[in-house]
Amino acid sequence: MIFTHSSLLLFVSAALVLLAIPGPAVLYVTSRSIGQGRSAGLVSALGIGVGTLVHVAAAAVGLSALLMSSVVAFSVVKYLGAAYLIYLGVQKLRGAESLDLSEEAPRANLSRIFGQGVVVNILNPRRRFFSSHFFPNSWILRADR
């Protein structure tokens, strides 16, 4: 599949617009960075990146198209994502953590932060929409290229 200049320009423009509008992933990375420092922010961003790779792989094998074609499946994943973000917010509110950012404040495990970043991005409906609409079904696996 050969891309024309106009389709590449359209793809890059759409990607930049979606990147400029903050979503759950940006809010997650920002909150981890502010609350727990630079290393937590970087690890959460790596988790978001791995979640993006999951979406690209799903689009490459056609799973994203299957999910987008089923209203029930799409709704289940959308509501799971919302429930997970609500769960994270409630856990944060219920936590006994103080707002003191001194060195004595308890820090979350970086592997847990990474895993939460992956889950946040996998359940992100905007990322799923982007991957399924801008990466055609089985784009990578097509034999007629």
Side-chain angles (χ1 to χ4, degrees):
M1 175 181 217
I2 298 176
F3 291 105
T4 63
H5 291 293
S6 61
S7 64
L8 183 61
L9 180 64
L10 177 64
F11 174 79
V12 170
S13 300
L16 289 174
V17 167
L18 287 174
L19 287 172
I21 302 169
V26 172
L27 296 176
Y28 177 73
V29 172
T30 303
S31 68
R32 286 295 185 181
S33 299
I34 291 171
Q36 296 175 327
R38 182 183 307 170
S39 61
L42 289 174
V43 169
S44 62
L46 284 172
I48 297 294
V50 169
T52 300
L53 291 176
V54 170
H55 281 291
V56 170
V61 298
L63 291 177
S64 292
L66 180 66
L67 186 64
M68 294 302 286
S69 67
S70 170
V71 175
V72 173
F74 180 75
S75 295
V76 166
V77 174
K78 179 173 67 170
Y79 291 125
L80 276 175
Y84 185 68
L85 290 175
I86 290 169
Y87 167 78
L88 288 178
V90 168
Q91 290 299 101
K92 188 68 171 173
L93 290 174
R94 291 182 57 210
E97 298 176 10
S98 66
L99 293 178
D100 183 22
L101 295 179
S102 66
E103 294 302 317
E104 300 87 33
R107 300 280 181 188
N109 186 354
L110 291 180
S111 62
R112 181 178 170 134
I113 292 172
F114 176 82
Q116 287 176 342
V118 172
V119 172
V120 163
N121 206 22
I122 287 175
L123 297 176
N124 184 353
R126 190 174 77 170
R127 172 61 60 196
R128 192 172 34 265
F129 175 82
F130 180 80
S131 296
S132 65
H133 284 82
F134 286 99
F135 296 118
N137 302 339
S138 303
W139 177 74
I140 294 173
L141 302 177
R142 287 182 51 180
D144 60 340
R145 295 194 292 157

